[in-house]
């Protein structure tokens, strides 16, 4: 890989140990994937923030880099293992909390903006069309490539951190036009409504075409919340890093020859597969993290009611702060639902606490079942609130 003289100095250790180690990671990655050179990035999002995933070895690695490492571009984090302010009410053990705080402190020492969210694009880490970036969280990667039109591979936690500390990423894969071209056309022949149905669409397409980039036609409109649900789902069930939705997303692509059709039966089948027998004891909204619009809707639905089941709304702390300011949080909390800010029910250590999760998120269903061995049910948000109040 060709390096500039500045990049050579970085690799030789002239800018300290953290930069040197980071360059080793980026050069190794670039060589594996045949990148000709590094490019500058403008934004980073780092996954692998939960102490549940990192363990002590991960924490030691972060402490080592934090001795002399400082981020060079705007960098935010993926959800942590707990809400740093509200973890006691959410039943997170104190020994876990101590370790999780140390993880966040190490990132803060490096200059990372320690808001922990899978929707960085809703809280100011919002790159625009064609910018090279290095993001890790799969739903955010699909959203960034497809809806924002920025360019990112699906980075691992260490490679994203390496990009943050150097401001560079190897030029390969989703950073280049070729890999972004659609390989399969998907004709959607039914009307979709709501985050749960867009999640079901992502499952139906993902399972059929796997990670191939798609050109999706036939969808007349989609909200930001529906697109984030779809991005999460197509990345989870298929591994896709990009899709093109005709008339809705900004990128250009040729029309592929291979074509599949998605009908109402496919959506209903996907929804049926995410509805298991079981008595709901946990309800969660906000996978990917809830937007202000979703929180406003929840406040409207929960006004004057009382929930009778554990009910979490997972969101980014800055979004929660606005919800506090305009009064949505009070309505929601008066109804007995709880905010879990900067965390989510997949990365939080809650395995075994609940038997059956109800959510509007297809991605949430996948991980609740596969990681936490919980039964699952998917339904629209309005129905979730009705279930919660039964
Ligand atoms: Fe975000 Fe957690 Fe869902 S990271 S996409 S809320 S599984």
């Amino acid at each position: 890989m060709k390096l500039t003289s500045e990049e050579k100095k970085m690799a030789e250790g002239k800018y300290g140990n953290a930069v040197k180690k980071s360059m080793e990671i980026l050069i190794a990655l670039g060589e594996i994937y045949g990148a000709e050179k590094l490019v500058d990035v403008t934004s980073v999002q780092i996954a692998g923030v939960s102490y549940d995933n990192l363990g002590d070895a991960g924490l030691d690695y972060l402490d080592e880099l934090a001795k002399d490492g400082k981020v060079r571009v705007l960098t935010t984090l993926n959800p942590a293992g707990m809400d740093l302010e509200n973890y006691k009410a959410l039943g997170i053990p104190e020994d876990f909390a101590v370790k999780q705080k140390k993880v966040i402190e190490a990132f803060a020492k490096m200059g990372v903006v320690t808001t922990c969210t899978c929707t960085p694009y809703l809280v100011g880490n919002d790159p625009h069309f064609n910018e090279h970036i290095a993001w890790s969280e799969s739903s955010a990667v699909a959203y960034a490539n497809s809806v924002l039109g920025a360019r990112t591979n699906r980075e691992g936690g260490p490679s994203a951190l390496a990009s943050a500390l150097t401001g560079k990423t190897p030029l390969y894969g989703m950073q280049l036009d070729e890999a972004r071209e659609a390989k399969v056309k998907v004709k959607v022949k039914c009307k979709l409504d709501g985050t749960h149905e867009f999640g079901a669409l992502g499952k139906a397409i993902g399972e059929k075409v796997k990670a191939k980039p798609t050109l999706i036609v036939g969808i007349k409109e989609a909200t930001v919340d529906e697109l984030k649900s779809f991005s999460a789902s197509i990345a989870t069930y298929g591994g896709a890093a990009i899709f093109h939705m005709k008339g809705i997303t900004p990128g250009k692509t040729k029309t592929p020859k291979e074509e599949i059709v998605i009908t109402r039966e496919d959506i209903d089948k996907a929804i049926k597969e995410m509805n298991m027998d079981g008595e709901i004891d946990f309800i969660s909204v906000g996978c990917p993290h809830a937007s202000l619009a979703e929180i406003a809707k929840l406040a409207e639905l929960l006004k004057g009611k009382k929930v009778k089941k554990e009910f979490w709304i997972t969101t980014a702390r800055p979004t929660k702060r606005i919800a506090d300011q305009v009064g949505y949080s009070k309505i929601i909390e008066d109804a007995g639902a709880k905010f879990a800010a900067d965390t989510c029910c997949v990365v939080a250590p809650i395995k075994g606490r609940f038997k059956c999760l109800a959510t509007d998120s297809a991605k949430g269903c996948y991980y609740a079942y596969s990681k936490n061995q919980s039964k699952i049910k998917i339904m629209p948000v309005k129905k979730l609130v009705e279930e919660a109040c039964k």
Side-chain angles (χ1 to χ4, degrees), residues 78-79 118 137 139 232 286-289 314 343-347 363 367:
N78 214 31
C118 47
E137 152 58 30
S139 67
C287 172
H289 273 173
T314 49
T343 184
C344 88
C345 18
V346 169
V347 294
K363 176 174 178 176
Y367 283 104

Side-chain angles (χ1 to χ4, degrees), residues 117-162:
T117 181
C118 47
T119 58
Y121 47 88
L122 295 180
V123 294
N125 190 356
D126 189 21
H128 66 74
F129 193 71
N130 270 341
E131 278 192 71
H132 295 286
I133 63 173
W135 284 16
S136 318
E137 152 58 30
S138 65
S139 67
V141 165
Y143 190 97
N145 279 320
S146 316
V147 183
L148 306 178
R151 292 170 178 248
T152 180
N153 288 306
R154 185 175 170 182
E155 302 293 344
S159 66
L161 179 55

Side-chain angles (χ1 to χ4, degrees), residues 19-306:
V19 169
K20 182 171 185 281
K21 273 195 156 85
S22 299
M23 287 298 278
E24 280 166 17
I25 292 173
L26 298 178
I27 291 169
L29 256 183
E31 280 170 359
I32 290 168
Y33 290 103
E36 277 179 20
K37 59 177 186 172
L38 299 172
V39 278
D40 291 343
V41 293
T42 51
S43 156
V44 173
Q45 191 254 1
I46 302 172
V49 177
S50 171
Y51 176 72
D52 211 22
N53 302 329
L54 283 170
D56 284 331
L59 179 53
D60 290 347
Y61 179 72
L62 292 177
D63 281 337
E64 176 66 30
L65 291 182
K67 281 182 188 154
D68 70 347
K70 282 274 175 276
V71 300
R72 295 182 177 214
V73 293
L74 176 63
T75 302
T76 56
L77 298 174
N78 214 31
M82 63 180 206
D83 182 326
L84 272 96
E85 291 175 12
N86 194 29
Y87 66 91
K88 286 192 182 127
L90 298 164
I92 304 297
E94 194 58 42
D95 53 341
F96 180 89
V98 169
K99 297 282 191 177
Q100 185 62 73
K101 282 182 194 166
K102 286 195 170 147
V103 170
I104 301 298
E105 278 162 22
F107 280 120
K109 204 172 160 202
M110 289 185 264
V112 173
V113 177
T114 56
T115 186
C116 305
T117 181
C118 47
T119 58
Y121 47 88
L122 295 180
V123 294
N125 190 356
D126 189 21
H128 66 74
F129 193 71
N130 270 341
E131 278 192 71
H132 295 286
I133 63 173
W135 284 16
S136 318
E137 152 58 30
S138 65
S139 67
V141 165
Y143 190 97
N145 279 320
S146 316
V147 183
L148 306 178
R151 292 170 178 248
T152 180
N153 288 306
R154 185 175 170 182
E155 302 293 344
S159 66
L161 179 55
S163 288
L165 295 171
T166 59
K168 309 273 175 187
T169 194
L171 186 68
Y172 73 94
M174 285 292 139
Q175 304 291 353
L176 297 166
D177 289 341
E178 199 193 325
R180 302 172 66 86
E181 284 286 335
K183 306 288 182 293
V184 186
K185 182 176 175 185
V186 181
K187 262 192 188 167
V188 178
K189 290 200 152 176
C190 56
K191 205 170 168 300
L192 297 157
D193 189 22
T195 45
H196 72 299
E197 286 211 341
F198 273 82
L201 176 68
K203 179 178 187 305
I205 297 175
E207 287 177 346
K208 284 188 196 219
V209 309
K210 306 295 175 213
K212 287 182 196 166
T214 43
L215 168 64
I216 301 165
V217 301
I219 295 178
K220 301 264 177 319
E221 52 190 5
T223 65
V224 163
D225 297 323
E226 288 164 342
L227 288 169
K228 80 176 163 63
S229 176
F230 177 74
S231 300
S233 180
I234 197 167
T236 298
Y237 290 91
I242 190 167
F243 59 87
H244 302 269
M245 206 175 265
K246 197 169 178 198
I248 293 175
T249 59
K252 283 213 171 75
T253 181
K254 290 188 208 107
T255 303
K257 286 200 185 80
E258 188 183 341
E259 183 177 303
I260 65 159
V261 174
I262 296 286
T263 61
R264 174 46 51 187
E265 284 72 50
D266 293 306
I267 302 301
D268 290 347
K269 180 172 166 278
I271 288 177
K272 199 167 164 220
E273 286 165 357
M274 291 184 282
N275 274 294
M276 299 176 174
D277 286 338
E279 204 171 311
I280 298 165
D281 58 354
F282 184 33
I283 293 170
S284 179
V285 175
C287 172
H289 273 173
S291 67
L292 196 59
E294 287 176 302
I295 294 173
K297 185 175 174 189
L298 279 165
E300 191 188 310
L301 292 168
L302 283 165
K303 192 166 190 176
K305 300 198 178 121
K306 282 279 173 221

